[in-house]
Amino acid sequence: MRLILLGPPGAGKGTQALRLVKAFNLAHLSTGDMLRAAVQAGAPIGLKAKAIMDGGNLVSDEIVIGIIADRLDAPDARRGFILDGFPRTLPQAEALDALLARKAMKLDAVIELVVDAEQLVHRIEGRAAQARAAGEPARKDDDPIVFKTRLDAYFRDTAAVTPYYRARGLLREVDGMAPIEDVSRAIDEVLGATTQA
Ligand code: AMP
């Protein structure tokens, strides 16, 4: 199975992606995770990306397309994958189509977690408070002001991605504000599958 999970930051994409990865034995292709790993490792891409990510802005299409192109070639991704956090712009969506066509791979579905922006800000404040309570350092980009920038980037750049997939008959919308189990169930229904929530 080859899936894309779309939705703004804080919509629960990570949670759902991890569940689907386990249920369907998919490779989890999260550009956010890959970029954070590159930052941690002090890799050249990480050095370029760090300040951009800390400010809540989007890393260049060229960088993320390059990362995904490499990752799609790995054996686990050939088995099936879920893209989490990519594509985030129209050029990324177009580049992905070209990459997949070259590899004779087809997408099965693009699932969008549809959310209310104001409620999302509350959700992200909760996430930061939880991290603080657990004594973990909160992610810099979960700072409420940075979060607002990330949300703006989503609605400015990524809003163009949903119509792209809708026009191809691949887009499936799911209410991302519902309780996690309900979101899980709705996604499973969309995929015509039954999994453990
Ligand atoms: P995420 O964990 O998916 O929210 O990603 C964290 C940060 O990584 C984003 O705020 C961006 O700065 C960067 N990033 C992740 N994926 C992409 C992408 N597809 N295009 C551009 N920037 C990205």
Side-chain angles (χ1 to χ4, degrees):
M1 180 151 21
R2 299 183 196 102
L3 302 174
I4 295 178
L5 201 50
L6 293 178
K13 283 196 307 292
T15 305
Q16 291 301 330
L18 288 182
R19 190 183 67 83
L20 292 165
V21 159
K22 271 202 210 139
F24 298 107
N25 194 23
L26 305 174
H28 182 202
L29 309 187
S30 156
T31 39
D33 284 353
M34 294 178 217
L35 287 166
R36 278 185 289 276
V39 170
Q40 280 268 303
I45 282 177
L47 295 178
K48 267 197 205 162
K50 187 176 186 315
I52 300 170
M53 292 170 73
D54 284 350
N57 296 303
L58 292 185
V59 174
S60 76
D61 287 338
E62 192 194 343
I63 288 183
V64 286
I65 291 166
I67 293 180
I68 286 293
D70 287 346
R71 196 58 188 82
L72 282 176
D73 280 331
D76 64 334
R78 299 208 74 86
R79 226 177 34 225
F81 58 76
I82 182 158
L83 283 164
D84 166 7
F86 180 94
R88 259 172 154 101
T89 65
L90 205 49
Q92 290 179 21
E94 288 165 350
L96 176 65
D97 265 356
L99 281 171
L100 293 177
R102 226 176 296 145
K103 295 174 200 302
M105 289 177 170
K106 269 208 162 83
L107 290 170
D108 292 290
V110 179
I111 298 166
E112 182 192 11
L113 299 179
V114 180
V115 296
D116 177 277
E118 227 175 89
Q119 284 187 46
L120 260 195
V121 174
H122 290 307
R123 196 186 262 191
I124 213 72
E125 283 167 354
R127 193 152 100 182
Q130 255 182 359
R132 274 197 305 275
E136 296 163 9
R139 267 169 54 178
K140 246 199 198 125
D141 56 3
D142 271 357
D143 171 275
I145 294 169
V146 176
F147 180 73
K148 182 78 177 49
T149 309
R150 295 168 70 205
L151 213 51
D152 289 347
Y154 180 82
F155 288 112
R156 186 183 58 236
D157 301 315
T158 313
V161 174
T162 41
Y164 179 83
Y165 289 116
R166 188 177 291 119
R168 282 159 182 71
L170 284 169
L171 189 71
R172 307 284 180 267
E173 290 171 301
V174 166
D175 175 10
M177 298 317 292
I180 291 180
E181 311 80 65
D182 294 354
V183 176
S184 302
R185 206 168 308 119
I187 291 177
D188 289 353
E189 271 172 29
V190 155
L191 298 176
T194 315
T195 62
Q196 299 252 299

